[in-house]
Amino acid sequence: MDVAALVEYPDHHWFVETDLEELARHAAVVGADGLITTEKDWVRLRELRLPTLFLAVLLVELHLDAGGEPLLLQILERTLTAAARR
């Protein structure tokens, strides 16, 4: 699969049908056969009228290397403690 273009939206963006229409037009301009979205954004897209283009949903998983879990837990603990102080 070749990526023809990347269109980014802000995190937590709530898509509207005009966003999808714009993406479909952009795909036509760059010669893309379809669109790819993350599973997270699919939740926001699935209720909208989708373009007739092929739409793939990318499943994302996190795998920690050996020793990564303790570091992740430390970071989460610091983040949650700081948030609780606010």
Side-chain angles (χ1 to χ4, degrees):
M1 182 178 295
D2 293 322
V3 177
L6 173 67
V7 178
E8 295 183 69
Y9 288 87
D11 199 23
H12 304 291
H13 178 75
W14 281 97
F15 293 90
V16 294
E17 287 184 11
T18 54
D19 292 328
L20 295 175
E21 292 165 3
E22 182 179 307
L23 287 168
R25 281 193 298 275
H26 186 66
V29 167
V30 299
D33 296 323
L35 303 171
I36 301 172
T37 188
T38 61
E39 190 175 22
K40 176 184 162 191
D41 286 335
W42 171 244
V43 171
R44 297 182 175 123
L45 293 171
R46 64 183 177 197
E47 299 298 323
L48 300 176
R49 185 173 43 89
L50 299 174
T52 57
L53 288 170
F54 170 79
L55 178 64
V57 179
L58 179 66
L59 305 177
V60 179
E61 293 182 5
L62 173 65
H63 295 274
L64 299 174
D65 291 337
E69 186 175 340
L71 177 59
L72 178 61
L73 292 175
Q74 287 175 3
I75 293 168
L76 285 172
E77 184 177 344
R78 274 186 268 151
T79 303
L80 293 173
T81 299
R85 289 182 186 148
R86 290 185 209 149

